Amino acid sequence: MIGLIITLLALILVGSLIYYFRFFNKEKPKVGVKRNNFSEYVKDYAELKLYWTSIAFITVGIVVLIAIGIIELVFD
């Protein structure tokens, strides 16, 4: 159980660090902007994917930690 909690805390930390260092005080990455080069479309898509992945890491980590806390309270 301790290993799972440590893993979830690491997941939250990684998601928070990605979000803080790449996207904090910036606007959400845009997709669908007309570009001259196809590689710029791929770069835009990768930035958006990284943005949503960092948000998902934080959300999943917090939700599962809350679920573990509730389960521990109910069954102990």
Side-chain angles (χ1 to χ4, degrees), residues 26-76:
K26 296 179 186 173
E27 62 183 26
K28 181 178 146 189
K30 295 181 180 176
V31 175
V33 177
K34 193 72 169 166
R35 302 289 187 188
N36 294 330
N37 195 352
F38 181 72
S39 65
E40 292 175 3
Y41 283 113
V42 174
K43 186 186 284 187
D44 288 344
Y45 178 73
E47 282 291 313
L48 186 67
K49 192 88 159 163
L50 184 64
Y51 175 80
W52 285 113
T53 302
S54 67
I55 299 293
F57 279 0
I58 296 167
T59 305
V60 167
I62 291 172
V63 167
V64 174
L65 275 177
I66 290 171
I68 288 172
I70 291 171
I71 290 170
E72 286 294 319
L73 286 175
V74 169
F75 291 113
D76 275 344

